Amino acid sequence: MARWEPGARERMVLAAADLFTEQGYDATTVAEIAERAGLTERTFFRHFTDKREVLFAGSSVLVDLLAERVASAPPTAAPIDAVTAALQAAGAVLQERGAWAQRRQQVITANAELRERELIKMTLLVTTMADALRARGVTDPAASLTAEAGVAAFRVAFEHWVAQPTKKNLPRLIADSMKQLRAVTAGL
Amino acid sequence: MARWEPGARERMVLAAADLFTEQGYDATTVAEIAERAGLTERTFFRHFTDKREVLFAGSSVLVDLLAERVASAPPTAAPIDAVTAALQAAGAVLQERGAWAQRRQQVITANAELRERELIKMTLLVTTMADALRARGVTDPAASLTAEAGVAAFRVAFEHWVAQPTKKNLPRLIADSMKQLRAVTAGL
């Protein structure tokens, strides 16, 4: 039976962040990540399938959260408000991850394959929220457009936040970004 | 000196579309594309670096067109109107390509690597228009948000159009999509 290693997952995530930053993503092996975390490779593979998954494992939490929040928004909420609130909840999770989110982004920005993976993740956020809106009875193209608009506002807010994640409040930046998106699309 | 083959490029694009549809993208070789077009491999490589480029070579035309149209919009045009007009001009080019655009999309949808490449292209459309807006004096985050909003509206319109490219008018769908995006972001 596998021994339970308290905080093993977090230690490996932080060790990976250190190594990716120090010596690059491509040059870092799973063995090095495990060693830095003071754990075995076997423990690594109980938590992650490969080193890329260390960077993207947290994404499924966000996807599930977005689906759940859009679904549970008040029945009277306008679709754009349901989407904005869901993205703010995801932003609060990222805010807790703080400096890790920033380092993760630096690793991704430096690697073409990881940037592609990140783009695919963004598309998954759009389709997840569009599906959740359709389940609330929102028809197309409004469901797709609302989800696209939300992720557009989120992306711009996130890029602003990630430069100074401990000083800026991501949920608030997301709300501001949505207001600005509303203003620019209105031609103001 | 290379002989000039009239219409060689178009013949290869159409031959590739046939073969990708008939037998799949992965199973199709450059030799087969050239043969189907009645040309040599050497002629193929005068026009394209590989078979993937047959699908994406037309994208640079769109990118250049977007940059040029945003730059040349009337000085009084609101950023969102400059972006919408530029995307409509790109839509008119796609409308001319008609059934080819549809078959291209079917090939891309069926292949994970090509879908990723298409996502990267969409990101390039956003950054191209955001840069062109900044050159017009639009500040951030408005420049980024306007470009994101434009591509969001474009993407939804394109997905609707590509199902019936000879029956629907893409530039009009783009204008409609932008109106709908404005309505959903306003919470209407």
Side-chain angles (χ1 to χ4, degrees):
Chain A
M1 201 182 126
R3 245 183 332 142
W4 169 243
E5 299 275 3
R9 191 182 174 89
E10 289 65 30
R11 278 154 65 195
M12 288 188 288
V13 165
L14 293 173
D18 283 344
L19 289 165
F20 293 163
T21 309
E22 285 166 27
Q23 61 191 38
Y25 171 80
D26 287 329
T28 300
T29 65
V30 166
E32 289 172 315
I33 295 169
E35 193 192 347
R36 178 72 64 101
L39 297 163
T40 63
E41 278 191 72
R42 203 169 151 166
T43 303
F44 180 94
F45 289 115
R46 278 208 296 276
H47 291 271
F48 304 105
T49 53
D50 55 32
K51 65 176 176 176
R52 196 176 75 165
E53 211 202 327
V54 179
L55 295 168
F56 289 98
S59 301
S60 62
V61 175
L62 297 185
V63 167
D64 292 347
L65 181 63
L66 290 178
E68 189 272 315
R69 287 301 174 100
V70 171
S72 66
T76 55
I80 195 70
D81 295 330
V83 160
T84 303
L87 288 165
Q88 288 187 284
V93 171
L94 292 170
Q95 186 84 45
E96 277 176 35
R97 293 183 193 161
W100 155 247
Q102 182 181 40
R103 296 172 70 187
R104 174 185 178 279
Q105 204 60 30
Q106 286 165 348
V107 173
I108 288 173
T109 302
N111 183 295
E113 186 209 322
L114 298 176
R115 287 199 302 274
E116 292 183 20
R117 184 70 188 70
E118 184 77 350
L119 283 176
I120 294 166
K121 190 192 82 181
M122 286 290 173
T123 303
L124 184 60
L125 302 186
V126 173
T127 54
T128 297
M129 291 199 294
D131 285 346
L133 288 172
R134 285 182 204 108
R136 287 173 66 86
V138 179
T139 53
D140 270 314
S144 297
L145 283 167
T146 305
E148 288 270 5
V151 172
F154 173 84
R155 184 159 29 210
V156 171
F158 181 81
E159 280 170 18
H160 185 64
W161 172 78
V162 85
Q164 290 187 299
T166 55
K167 292 189 180 167
K168 306 264 184 179
N169 181 284
L170 184 54
R172 193 179 309 143
L173 289 175
I174 291 167
D176 291 347
S177 187
M178 184 51 81
K179 275 183 207 145
Q180 287 155 344
L181 181 68
R182 186 174 293 164
V184 301
T185 54
L188 300 177
Chain B
M1 201 183 128
R3 244 182 333 141
W4 170 245
E5 300 273 3
R9 192 181 173 89
E10 288 68 30
R11 278 155 64 195
M12 288 187 291
V13 165
L14 294 173
D18 283 345
L19 289 164
F20 292 163
T21 310
E22 286 167 26
Q23 62 190 36
Y25 171 79
D26 287 329
T28 300
T29 65
V30 166
E32 289 172 314
I33 295 169
E35 192 192 347
R36 177 74 65 103
L39 297 163
T40 63
E41 276 192 73
R42 203 169 151 169
T43 303
F44 180 94
F45 288 115
R46 278 207 298 276
H47 292 270
F48 304 104
T49 52
D50 55 32
K51 67 177 175 177
R52 195 176 74 164
E53 211 204 325
V54 179
L55 295 168
F56 289 97
S59 300
S60 62
V61 174
L62 297 185
V63 168
D64 293 346
L65 181 63
L66 290 177
E68 190 272 315
R69 287 301 176 99
V70 172
S72 66
T76 55
I80 195 69
D81 294 330
V83 159
T84 304
L87 288 165
Q88 288 187 285
V93 170
L94 291 170
Q95 186 84 48
E96 276 176 36
R97 293 183 193 161
W100 155 246
Q102 182 179 40
R103 295 172 71 187
R104 173 185 178 279
Q105 204 60 30
Q106 286 166 347
V107 173
I108 287 172
T109 302
N111 182 295
E113 186 209 323
L114 298 177
R115 287 198 302 273
E116 292 182 21
R117 183 68 189 72
E118 184 78 349
L119 283 177
I120 294 165
K121 191 193 83 182
M122 286 291 175
T123 303
L124 185 60
L125 301 186
V126 173
T127 55
T128 297
M129 291 198 295
D131 286 345
L133 287 172
R134 286 182 203 109
R136 287 172 67 88
V138 179
T139 53
D140 270 314
S144 297
L145 283 167
T146 306
E148 288 270 5
V151 172
F154 173 84
R155 188 164 19 217
V156 172
F158 181 80
E159 280 171 17
H160 185 65
W161 173 76
V162 85
Q164 291 186 298
T166 55
K167 291 189 181 167
K168 304 265 184 179
N169 181 285
L170 182 55
R172 192 178 310 143
L173 289 175
I174 292 166
D176 290 347
S177 187
M178 183 51 78
K179 276 183 207 148
Q180 288 155 344
L181 180 68
R182 185 175 295 164
V184 299
T185 54
L188 300 176

